[in-house]
Amino acid sequence: MQTKTGIPASPGIAIARAIILDSEEYAIPHRCIDPDVVPAEIDRTKRAFDEAIRELAELESQQSGLGKIEIRDLFAVHRHFLQDKSLRNKVIDLISTESLTAECAMGRVFDDVHQHFLKTQNRYISERAADITDIRKKLLKHLIDFKQASLESLDHEAIVVAKDLRPTQTALFDPRFVKGITCDAGGKTSHASIIARALGIPAVTALQDLTGTVRRGTQIIVDGNAGIVIIDPDAETVAEFRAAAESIATLHQSLEAIRHEPAITRDHAPITLLANIEFPEETDHVLQFGADGVGLFRTEFLYLQSGVEPSEQVHYEAYAKIIQAMQGRPVTIRTMDLGADKFTQSHRFTPETNPFLGLRSIRFSLKHRDMFVAQLRAILRASVLGPVKIMFPMITTFKELTLAHEVLNSARSDLTTEGISFAADIPVGIMIETPSAALMSHRLAGHADFFSIGTNDLTQYTLAVDRGNAQVAGLFSAAEPAVLKLIKATINGAQTAGIEVSLCGEMASEPKYTMLLLGLGLRTLSLTPKMIPDIKQIIRSVTLAECEQLAGAALEADSAEQVLESLIKKARTILPEFFK
Ligand code: PEP
Ligand code: MG
């Protein structure tokens, strides 16, 4: 039995056997073969193509059944590519003429295609280069019978042990079978962790070299609350963690009763609890957990899920689906927050030394105006279906806000000219995610209808700690007094100007921070839908006076450790069952 400590990325306890997910490139030896094995290599090649085509067709119908049309279309594009006989023939020719192994011949052919796609001036074709890598991996998987890497066909409970996970990869996990996630890399607020929380899968990240330590089939305990992973536990430890998992389940069951009760403090202050979502399919969850609306729709997943850039109509349909499902509750649509760890098809090959300080978020949108306009038109069109708010991400300077407003106004006047209707009074707000914006919030407030504080990025930019880097994950804490002071400055800026302010970073989903956030002055939080009942229970158990006292002390503290100690100490006296 061995215990490893990482970062608690998604709460809950899971016990199951490990499945290792290799996200590395497969190493293909450059090897020649005897001429008499050439026919066998050609057979292997044909089989791999056929199996990959069959697998893609199955994935297409699965995704179609789930109503995930963009993902289905991506798989269809890959299948058509593999069905093209000239590609298969090129591989076969290389095997016969140069006596190469099937893996080696395939690698060569795919490298050529990849290079060709990358170099082309045509943006649509260059966008396909990433797909070539994906298709190649799928073929190689069949060729080398790398079945253990496949999760799409998982039909039993397992803990995924991965080096790193892409957000889109995590989004495809089926929570019926993927019971827990461990990652060598990543941080608490990396986007793969956010998806794990949305799916309700316990996860621990930043485990350094767990993939090197664990073998497929080893029993593992993932404790996503404490951030620990136990490898090959003894019977006593398994029993202890099973009991802890049961007590968490009992606690959640007891919260069923308050799901549709108001979130109101003991001294009668009403708090609005909104939901953060990444996919239109999540609205069932949002309603089920009793959210008052959607406070953050991360629209960039529309770009990341699909092999093609979403059209205005694809945007529109996603927004319409959410707005209609929310039945009159407000829906805040954040314009695309692409770049950094959320690349889009056409731009992932532009290397940046510091992508989080690079062309991301609103900067990306302002540079790719055609994409931005398509999205804004779709939001405006959908605004006639129900209450919508538009939110610009990562506004850092006044100038960016002015430029974003200009693009929005021009989209409005185009629609008016075209005779297309949209709501006249859509609130337009901004995310406060950089120290610059927080310090200028009193001025920005004059040009925004609301603020939403993005503490994931605000923490990363204030502390100079990459939110997805496992090596510095221990330094990432929203409880650092510097971050708290910027949150406070933003709340003050909003209150002085009389505009709404909420907080939608992961901090809002963490029970230990609820009292602090209320005490700092927040009355609206936007969080992972699943955590709404827990946070509501805390709100219903405290008074604003207690919260304000705690927040006052936190603002005067020297360190995150001091802040956390006092938060947890106080929370334990009020709700011991939450803070064991
Ligand atoms: C944030 O930065 O806190 C936020 C909510 O945005 P995202 O996590 O999508 O960057
Ligand atoms: Mg952010």
Side-chain angles (χ1 to χ4, degrees):
M1 177 164 115
Q2 198 186 350
T3 303
K4 292 228 170 211
T5 305
I7 299 288
S10 175
I13 292 174
I15 307 171
R17 301 210 169 261
I19 181 164
I20 318 291
L21 187 67
D22 189 323
S23 59
E24 300 278 87
E25 294 293 327
Y26 304 119
I28 306 301
H30 183 97
R31 199 155 52 82
C32 290
I33 47 171
D34 284 342
D36 54 342
V37 273
V38 163
E41 285 302 282
I42 292 176
D43 271 358
R44 251 173 21 97
T45 305
K46 287 181 181 164
R47 243 192 344 265
F49 268 90
D50 291 344
E51 279 169 16
I53 289 167
R54 204 168 25 248
E55 184 195 345
L56 285 163
E58 264 171 35
L59 288 170
E60 271 171 70
S61 66
Q62 266 171 25
Q63 294 302 322
S64 186
L66 294 170
K68 297 192 171 170
I69 304 306
E70 294 92 355
I71 308 184
R72 181 204 62 189
D73 291 349
L74 172 66
F75 290 137
V77 169
H78 288 195
R79 181 171 55 77
H80 287 134
F81 186 82
L82 284 181
Q83 277 169 336
D84 175 359
K85 285 272 188 283
S86 67
L87 188 78
R88 183 184 301 215
N89 290 340
K90 269 189 196 146
V91 178
I92 292 174
D93 277 356
L94 267 181
I95 297 174
S96 331
T97 55
E98 299 196 23
S99 299
L100 293 178
T101 56
E103 287 89 343
C104 189
M106 208 171 274
R108 275 241 215 126
V109 170
F110 272 77
D111 277 350
D112 286 352
V113 180
H114 188 253
Q115 282 310 316
H116 176 73
F117 275 38
L118 270 186
K119 280 188 195 139
T120 177
Q121 294 301 312
N122 179 321
R123 182 168 135 189
Y124 179 79
I125 296 178
S126 68
E127 284 175 10
R128 304 273 75 76
D131 294 45
I132 300 300
T133 311
D134 253 16
I135 298 170
R136 175 182 174 209
K137 278 187 142 189
K138 206 156 233 99
L139 262 179
L140 286 171
K141 184 181 80 177
H142 287 285
L143 204 54
I144 58 181
D145 199 20
F146 204 82
K147 292 233 166 14
Q148 68 266 37
S150 172
L151 272 187
E152 290 111 6
S153 56
L154 191 65
D155 57 1
H156 60 277
E157 295 190 353
I159 306 281
V160 170
V161 176
K163 277 191 184 297
D164 200 1
L165 288 171
R166 295 186 305 278
T168 40
Q169 220 177 348
T170 317
L172 283 177
F173 288 173
D174 182 342
R176 283 175 309 160
F177 302 123
V178 176
K179 291 287 150 197
I181 297 173
T182 74
C183 257
D184 290 357
K188 198 184 196 84
T189 64
S190 57
H191 287 95
S193 304
I194 289 172
I195 304 276
R197 276 196 290 278
L199 293 173
I201 305 176
V204 178
T205 57
L207 285 155
Q208 314 293 348
D209 64 341
L210 190 71
T211 44
T213 320
V214 171
R215 286 170 166 244
R216 178 182 166 82
T218 308
Q219 191 176 39
I220 291 195
I221 298 175
V222 176
D223 181 344
N225 302 324
I228 58 167
V229 169
I230 304 172
I231 307 157
D232 203 10
D234 56 30
E236 202 182 322
T237 311
V238 171
E240 185 192 319
F241 276 84
R242 277 203 209 291
E246 267 163 36
S247 92
I248 295 175
T250 313
L251 178 63
H252 282 140
Q253 259 161 21
S254 74
L255 297 181
E256 286 281 331
I258 59 150
R259 271 197 187 179
H260 300 288
E261 294 295 319
I264 184 159
T265 61
R266 276 177 41 225
D267 47 356
H268 314 294
I271 309 296
T272 304
L273 293 181
L274 304 170
N276 290 353
I277 61 170
E278 286 73 40
F279 308 104
E281 294 78 19
E282 281 181 87
T283 45
D284 285 353
H285 256 116
V286 173
L287 297 173
Q288 186 195 334
F289 290 110
D292 300 314
V294 171
L296 168 65
F297 172 34
R298 290 183 161 99
T299 58
E300 49 281 1
F301 286 92
L302 293 173
Y303 299 82
L304 298 171
Q305 270 190 317
S306 162
V308 289
E309 220 160 82
S311 61
E312 179 184 321
Q313 188 58 20
V314 169
H315 278 289
Y316 172 80
E317 282 164 18
Y319 307 149
K321 193 169 170 182
I322 298 173
I323 297 163
Q324 281 163 339
M326 291 308 293
Q327 303 157 15
R329 296 172 184 82
V331 175
T332 308
I333 301 177
R334 176 175 77 181
T335 61
M336 55 191 182
D337 185 26
L338 289 167
D341 61 341
K342 293 179 286 191
F343 297 104
T344 184
Q345 292 73 33
S346 47
H347 307 284
R348 65 177 74 170
F349 291 101
T350 313
E352 286 183 307
T353 313
N354 286 311
F356 273 110
L357 301 182
L359 190 66
R360 76 165 287 213
S361 208
I362 197 71
R363 302 170 185 174
F364 181 97
S365 300
L366 292 171
K367 176 124 188 215
H368 299 280
R369 195 180 159 119
D370 50 344
M371 287 168 71
F372 195 25
V373 168
Q375 176 169 41
L376 291 171
R377 284 174 60 97
I379 303 175
L380 291 169
R381 281 170 54 202
S383 68
V384 296
L385 303 171
V388 164
K389 297 181 182 187
I390 295 177
M391 179 155 76
F392 297 131
M394 217 181 107
I395 293 291
T396 304
T397 62
F398 205 81
K399 187 171 169 201
E400 281 169 347
L401 181 55
T402 311
L403 291 173
H405 272 302
E406 271 172 28
V407 182
L408 178 61
N409 285 337
S410 115
R412 278 197 185 107
S413 57
D414 287 351
L415 287 182
T416 307
T417 313
E418 292 164 38
I420 299 172
S421 49
F422 55 90
D425 50 355
I426 305 173
V428 181
I430 62 173
M431 289 196 67
I432 302 289
E433 307 189 83
T434 60
S436 160
L439 293 170
M440 290 299 284
S441 58
H442 59 298
R443 304 301 297 272
L444 290 166
H447 301 265
D449 294 321
F450 63 92
F451 286 159
S452 187
I453 307 174
T455 44
N456 306 337
D457 279 313
L458 185 60
T459 305
Q460 116 165 310
Y461 293 126
T462 305
L463 304 178
V465 175
D466 176 345
R467 61 193 270 188
N469 182 340
Q471 309 215 49
V472 288
L475 302 175
F476 186 97
S477 176
E480 279 296 343
V483 179
L484 302 183
K485 283 183 197 298
L486 291 172
I487 295 175
K488 187 66 189 159
T490 307
I491 297 169
N492 289 346
Q495 284 173 347
T496 311
I499 64 165
E500 283 177 24
V501 56
S502 64
L503 186 143
C504 65
E506 291 311 302
M507 219 181 165
S509 305
E510 287 196 56
K512 64 175 181 271
Y513 290 125
T514 310
M515 291 185 77
L516 172 66
L517 298 180
L518 301 191
L520 288 171
L522 287 159
R523 298 293 175 264
T524 303
L525 302 176
S526 189
L527 55 145
T528 310
K530 253 192 157 156
M531 289 307 292
I532 289 177
D534 298 54
I535 301 298
K536 191 187 281 182
Q537 174 71 341
I538 296 169
I539 292 168
R540 290 168 65 87
S541 313
V542 302
T543 62
L544 281 187
E546 286 168 322
C547 297
E548 279 160 9
Q549 198 185 22
L550 211 51
L555 286 168
E556 294 308 315
D558 289 332
S559 66
E561 289 74 21
Q562 247 181 41
V563 172
L564 287 170
E565 197 187 313
S566 70
L567 292 185
I568 290 170
K569 195 166 154 202
K570 180 74 187 175
R572 275 194 182 133
T573 64
I574 298 172
L575 277 162
E577 66 276 25
F578 270 86
F579 301 95
K580 282 189 179 141

